[in-house]
Amino acid sequence: DGEIEFENVNFTYDGRQAALKGVSFKVPKGGSVALVGESGAGKSTILRLLYRFYDLKEGDGRILVDGQDIRDVKQASLRKAIGVVPQDSVLFNASVAYNIGYGKFGATQEELEEAAKAAQMHDRILTFPEGYETKVGERGIRLSGGEKQRVAIARTLLKNPPILLLDEATSALDTSTERDIQKALQNLVQGRSSLSIAHRLSTIASADLILVLKDGQIVEQGTHKQLLEQN
Ligand code: ADP
Ligand code: ADP
């Protein structure tokens, strides 16, 4: 149902220094954990390992989802349970509806509209009546970075996975876009376990647990309030 546990995880990319050293933490079902730390600290590696872009070697710890070592779970079923919202979503050169519906074959118009609404998408970027065949180029639709992010959020809402991996964009968005995306993310995260590479203060402040990474290790952890009191 979405419980995640990293147990003393070590990981090294070929020919590099260790990217993760003895990393242990737990995301309870429905909980939110924010990863923070400088570039190169190991945040993305944590997400990649959970999605099994790489597997841990024997003796380098374990990653468990709902108590099961993820190496013992079929990759397809693991990935079905995990939604990924990347920093910069690449969209297919097709209609917005197609881009939202991709990953859920045969989604109905109602389901698409519901997901789009929860992702705070506005009429301008919705082209449902033309449906799946509409080419963006033909329609002359171009999406901004913020709009593309909402498409990615809507796609994930439709997929409805118990676990979310989020990589927040660092780029500055205007305040109304920022507010829309925050709301969309709230709707997405609600009721799911989430692991975020967090840049937004709102994400960090609302996380159940913040992990501060440095050189592949967790150097501090706690709620936002606890970390503020310590520093
Ligand atoms: P962060 O997401 O916190 O910026 P990463 O997890 O991407 O950090 O990187 C952790 C360490 O692993 C860094 O030293 C980085 O250079 C290295 N690293 C990341 N990705 C790769 C890769 N694909 N191949 C080799 N080394 C990598
Ligand atoms: P930016 O807003 O960052 O300047 P662009 O508009 O240049 O981004 O688009 C970046 C990429 O995303 C391009 O490959 C473009 O074809 C693609 N893209 C943009 N809008 C859509 C869309 N609605 N559907 C599919 N792909 C899109």
Side-chain angles (χ1 to χ4, degrees):
D1 307 353
E3 187 189 83
I4 303 162
E5 187 167 5
F6 273 57
E7 245 180 37
N8 201 18
V9 168
N10 298 299
F11 184 76
T12 305
Y13 293 97
D14 284 341
R16 304 287 296 250
Q17 286 180 305
L20 293 179
K21 293 177 260 187
V23 168
S24 298
F25 66 90
K26 203 165 172 171
V27 187
K29 174 174 153 52
S32 56
V33 168
L35 305 172
V36 303
E38 288 168 18
S39 167
K43 306 180 293 296
S44 316
T45 302
I46 288 176
L47 302 194
R48 287 180 204 134
L49 288 173
L50 185 57
Y51 205 65
R52 286 191 68 189
F53 278 131
Y54 302 95
D55 273 332
L56 294 179
K57 294 199 181 88
E58 275 315 311
D60 277 342
R62 296 198 302 166
I63 300 172
L64 309 168
V65 168
D66 296 327
Q68 238 192 328
D69 190 317
I70 59 172
R71 286 170 297 194
D72 299 334
V73 179
K74 280 209 186 88
Q75 199 180 54
S77 57
L78 178 78
R79 290 186 176 180
K80 210 172 146 197
I82 301 178
V84 182
V85 181
Q87 194 173 103
D88 193 9
S89 316
V90 177
L91 301 184
F92 298 102
N93 187 21
S95 70
V96 170
Y98 177 89
N99 272 286
I100 295 174
Y102 178 81
K104 183 162 185 189
F105 184 73
T108 64
Q109 177 93 359
E110 285 71 33
E111 288 175 314
L112 291 171
E113 281 177 11
E114 201 183 310
K117 201 170 153 204
Q120 302 294 111
M121 285 169 52
H122 304 305
D123 290 344
R124 189 176 86 69
I125 54 170
L126 292 179
T127 54
F128 292 131
E130 286 76 22
Y132 284 46
E133 282 76 43
T134 312
K135 288 272 189 291
V136 169
E138 289 165 16
R139 305 279 305 162
I141 296 171
R142 286 180 64 80
L143 300 184
S144 67
E147 287 169 337
K148 279 189 253 177
Q149 214 170 356
R150 275 171 281 170
V151 171
I153 292 170
R155 182 190 291 165
T156 310
L157 276 157
L158 200 62
K159 183 180 171 186
N160 198 21
I163 295 174
L164 291 175
L165 305 182
L166 301 162
D167 188 356
E168 288 187 344
T170 40
S171 61
L173 298 165
D174 63 73
T175 48
S176 74
T177 300
E178 177 62 32
R179 230 177 298 122
D180 280 345
I181 290 177
Q182 252 177 47
K183 188 81 209 311
L185 285 172
Q186 274 169 20
N187 289 338
L188 181 61
V189 165
Q190 186 72 343
R192 306 176 207 275
S193 312
S194 65
L195 198 48
S196 310
I197 297 179
H199 296 296
R200 291 191 174 80
L201 184 58
S202 59
T203 306
I204 295 170
S206 66
D208 299 325
L209 177 67
I210 301 165
L211 303 178
V212 184
L213 283 139
K214 190 167 193 270
D215 300 331
Q217 286 180 299
I218 297 173
V219 290
E220 272 189 277
Q221 58 181 301
T223 61
H224 189 226
K225 190 159 170 278
Q226 287 166 344
L227 292 184
L228 285 176
E229 279 162 5
Q230 281 166 25
N231 290 291

